Amino acid sequence: DRRWLNAEANYLMRLAQQKLQLETDLASTSLLLRTIDSLLADQDGLLVATARQNLADDLRALQQVRLPDRARLAQRLTALGGELEQLTLAGSRQEGYQQRMQEQWQQTPATMGEGNWLDAGLALLRSIFVWREWHETPADILPPQQESILKQQVQLQLEQAQLAMLQSDEMLYQQILTQVISNLQRYFAADSDSSRQLIAELQRLRDEELQVALPDLAATAELI
């Protein structure tokens, strides 16, 4: 009896909508749509042909959907928490200072070629001992006993970001990582390699899309 086949197709179509919208289960949704198509395969008529064409279009749309790899993002956030533990306020500033000095030493031969030894030496001393008027607020310096508190706070924020990611709350996820990046830029020397790489990786994770556009099965469900 075709009425039983159509009733089953209608039930499976509603189930496919729930699988897609509530669980984002692309594999199960595709399987259900193929089952519905097989139930309609022996029937004739314009309405059936239109419904089957819609099913084929929905299947192609599902194949093009690329969901974010939440497991990979969670693992990366956990790894960044471990890298944060290896980062120190004094160490990042010392690393940044050594890098600037190395760059200055590499530029010294070029300066010597343009002038004399005295000018090169004075230029090097000016790069080391600087009396500077800050045009923007420098990074805050925390007492040593508060460094661990800052790290614990950032670790907690990373865990909150993972929870927001699992709940598909993209706005909260981005807000939390923005706060983490701001804290790292404020308290750690942003010109050291380790700090710069950590901040860059956090920025890449913040820009990850957690929500993707899913196909709308409403028109096909109406036909079924």
Side-chain angles (χ1 to χ4, degrees):
D1 192 336
R2 290 183 177 179
R3 291 175 300 176
W4 286 103
L5 296 178
N6 293 339
E8 183 179 358
N10 184 35
Y11 167 74
L12 295 180
M13 190 67 213
R14 289 186 282 112
L15 183 60
Q17 288 180 291
Q18 294 178 3
K19 285 289 184 180
L20 182 61
Q21 298 298 331
L22 301 181
E23 303 178 21
T24 320
D25 190 343
L26 302 182
S28 297
T29 303
S30 298
L31 178 61
L32 289 169
L33 294 184
R34 293 191 185 94
T35 305
I36 295 170
D37 184 69
S38 66
L39 294 174
L40 303 178
D42 295 333
Q43 301 187 44
D44 299 324
L46 179 60
L47 186 60
V48 174
T50 306
R52 295 190 66 190
Q53 182 61 47
N54 277 30
L55 287 170
D57 294 340
D58 292 338
L59 284 169
R60 282 193 294 270
L62 286 173
Q63 291 175 354
Q64 295 175 357
V65 174
R66 294 294 179 266
L67 296 177
D69 191 350
R70 301 180 189 275
R72 179 185 62 83
L73 294 179
Q75 292 175 356
R76 192 61 194 132
L77 286 172
T78 303
L80 288 179
E83 295 178 12
L84 177 65
E85 287 297 326
Q86 306 300 323
L87 202 62
T88 62
L89 293 172
S92 62
R93 285 181 167 81
Q94 182 179 4
E95 182 182 349
Y97 174 79
Q98 291 176 347
Q99 291 173 2
R100 290 194 300 271
M101 290 301 97
Q102 185 176 5
E103 293 175 359
Q104 187 64 34
W105 277 109
Q106 293 174 353
Q107 296 173 1
T108 300
T111 306
M112 291 170 52
E114 297 174 358
N116 54 29
W117 281 89
L118 180 59
D119 294 337
L122 290 176
L124 180 60
L125 289 176
R126 291 193 186 99
S127 66
I128 299 176
F129 304 101
V130 180
W131 182 270
R132 178 178 299 172
E133 179 181 357
W134 292 96
H135 296 286
E136 57 185 22
T137 304
D140 294 346
I141 300 178
L142 289 178
Q145 64 271 20
Q146 293 188 9
E147 182 176 341
S148 60
I149 298 178
L150 174 62
K151 287 185 177 181
Q152 292 175 3
Q153 177 185 353
V154 174
Q155 291 282 9
L156 180 60
Q157 289 176 322
L158 291 177
E159 293 177 0
Q160 292 173 341
Q162 292 186 41
L163 179 60
M165 176 195 60
L166 295 176
Q167 295 176 343
S168 299
D169 192 340
E170 186 170 355
M171 182 177 296
L172 180 60
Y173 171 81
Q174 293 177 347
Q175 289 177 350
I176 293 175
L177 289 187
T178 299
Q179 294 175 359
V180 173
I181 293 171
S182 178
N183 285 334
L184 293 179
Q185 291 175 337
R186 180 179 180 184
Y187 294 109
F188 292 84
D191 54 353
S192 67
D193 280 344
S194 54
S195 301
R196 187 163 50 245
Q197 292 173 1
L198 184 60
I199 292 173
E201 181 64 19
L202 284 170
Q203 290 173 340
R204 285 192 292 270
L205 292 177
R206 181 190 58 186
D207 296 337
E208 290 277 353
E209 293 185 359
L210 300 183
Q211 297 180 351
V212 296
L214 298 175
D216 187 3
L217 307 181
T220 306
E222 183 67 23
L223 289 172
I224 300 299

